[in-house]
Structures are given as structure tokens and as C-alpha cells.
Amino acid sequence: MVMGVIEFSHFLMEQAIEEGETVIDATCGNGNDTLFLSKLVGDTGHVFAFDIQELAIDNTKQLLEVHSRQNVTLIKDSHANIDQYMDENNRKNLGGAIFNLGYLPRSDKQIVTKKESTIAAVQSLLQLIRPRGIIVLVVYHGHAGGELEKEAILNYVTKLDQKKVHVLKYEFMNQKNKPPFIIAIQKRGEK
Ligand SMILES: C[S@@+](CC[C@H](N)C(=O)[O-])C[C@H]1O[C@@H](n2cnc3c(N)ncnc32)[C@H](O)[C@@H]1O
């Protein structure tokens, strides 16, 4: 069964993340991934959801309310500052993170993720997540500036030490119009 990128990103999180853990939605947008993660870790787990836009935080808050989810902390700040929000307990329990790069659908297409902050966030997360924890990036790159971010990320992840992390690329080779693809980074070692 071939999965679409969103479906596959969720599949990867389901395989790596356990109930009761802490997870991060690094780009909460309209809240779809936040809602998914909230259910995945369950009431004993916790989600930290980041976005730089008030609109994204509001949309995510509304979606979570509709679904009566209470295990989420919404943070209006750049994911580049993730480590500032992780206390001792969350650091111990952090199973992974998901990113959907690009712009907020049906919103201002000028506000996009950028290579500097995305890579800074991934660098922090690689320190913070537990062994066998996962970072999943859904890389949208068809918009203005998307190509630059894509190239920087590919350049960065291909240089990561294979003894420390597995890096996977999941991509449709025959789709037109710059389809999104996935980069997944799993930390090696024993849980
Ligand atoms: C493709 S959208 C995310 C869609 C979301 N996953 C969903 O399910 O609706 C990308 C989001 O990244 C946010 N963003 C851009 N730069 C950011 C940053 N440095 N830190 C956190 N969020 C950022 C944008 O505001 C936008 O809402």
C-alpha cells in the first residue's frame, strides 16, 4: 500500500511514539497534526504545538476544543526556541516532533518556514529526543523561497552521522508540480 505524504508522516509517528510521551508539533497551522498527536499520546501524554502566527494558534485552539482535547500546550513562538520550553520532565519523555513546512493554507503565503529556524529546531530536537525518537519533516517547496529551504535541509540531513541517526527520504518520483516529500530522522540507540 503506497501512502500519501501526510498519511505516511502519521504512520511514522505511530510507529515511533508511545502513549504517555511528550511530542512536538513544530508548525501547528490549522491544527490537524496537533489533533492527531494529541490522540496518539493520549490523556497521559502531552503535545507542545508551536506557530509564529496568532491565526494558526487560534485555529488549532478551536479544533482542539471541538474535539475536547486538553493535553496540548500552544506556544506562539518560533520552533527555533523549542529548548526554552522543555523542562527536565519533558526532556526525559520527548519521543519526537513533526514539521509541515511552507505556509498556512488559505492564509498569507508570505509567512513561510525558513531554512535557518527549521534547521536550528531540528538541531535542538536531535539533542532533546530520546533514543529511537523521530523527527518527521513534510517538505513543501513549491512556493517562493521553498526551494532554498528544501536545498538547505537536504544538505544538512545528508551530512548527519549515520552512526547516530537514520535519515529517510520518502518521495513520489513521477508527480508533477513539485510534490511535497518526507524527511524522517530517527535517533539511533537503545530506548
Ligand atoms: C504548512 S503550515 C502547517 C500546517 C499544519 N501542520 C496543519 O495541519 O494545518 C506551516 C506553518 O508553519 C508556521 N511557521 C512558519 N515559520 C515558523 C517558525 N519559525 N516556527 C513555528 N511555526 C512557523 C506558519 O505560520 C504555518 O502556520
Side-chain angles (χ1 to χ4, degrees):
M1 164 67 174
V2 175
M3 296 181 201
V5 284
I6 298 295
E7 194 184 353
F8 192 59
S9 71
H10 288 187
F11 172 77
L12 289 169
M13 296 305 283
E14 280 164 355
Q15 299 307 303
I17 304 299
E18 286 176 11
E19 196 174 340
E21 286 196 312
T22 302
V23 277
I24 290 177
D25 185 352
T27 54
C28 68
N30 291 320
N32 301 302
D33 288 331
T34 310
L35 178 61
F36 162 75
L37 292 174
S38 163
K39 292 177 181 170
L40 183 63
V41 296
D43 293 340
T44 54
H46 201 81
V47 184
F48 288 87
F50 290 80
D51 207 291
I52 50 172
Q53 290 191 68
E54 194 74 53
L55 179 64
I57 298 293
D58 288 348
N59 289 353
T60 301
K61 194 172 173 203
Q62 271 180 34
L63 187 68
L64 294 169
E65 274 169 13
V66 168
H67 291 267
S68 307
R69 302 303 309 167
Q70 284 160 0
N71 59 346
V72 179
T73 303
L74 294 169
I75 300 169
K76 185 173 168 283
D77 195 357
S78 171
H79 42 229
N81 300 323
I82 277 171
D83 62 344
Q84 294 175 19
Y85 296 90
M86 294 294 112
D87 66 17
E88 201 62 31
N89 193 39
N90 295 318
R91 278 169 200 257
K92 258 192 286 172
N93 262 330
L94 188 60
I98 193 163
F99 292 70
N100 267 218
L101 303 181
Y103 58 85
L104 181 64
R106 301 178 300 281
S107 175
D108 186 349
K109 293 188 180 168
Q110 308 295 318
I111 306 175
V112 293
T113 51
K114 301 254 169 66
K115 60 178 181 175
E116 294 80 6
S117 38
T118 301
I119 291 172
V122 173
Q123 277 172 331
S124 289
L125 285 163
L126 282 173
Q127 302 299 317
L128 291 166
I129 61 173
R130 61 162 166 78
R132 302 178 78 86
I134 198 164
I135 303 166
V136 176
L137 298 116
V138 183
V139 184
Y140 291 86
H141 53 99
H143 56 282
E147 196 68 17
L148 272 180
E149 186 181 30
K150 173 188 121 176
E151 289 305 329
I153 289 167
L154 289 176
N155 188 36
Y156 169 70
V157 298
T158 44
K159 293 195 180 111
L160 290 172
D161 185 349
Q162 66 173 32
K163 293 197 194 88
K164 295 186 177 153
V165 288
H166 294 301
V167 180
L168 168 94
K169 187 178 183 197
Y170 180 86
E171 179 177 33
F172 288 87
M173 315 270 310
N174 64 338
Q175 284 184 1
K176 300 201 185 335
N177 301 324
K178 303 185 177 174
F181 62 89
I182 287 180
I183 297 290
I185 308 167
Q186 184 163 36
K187 198 166 179 174
R188 298 185 66 172
E190 293 306 314
K191 247 196 229 176

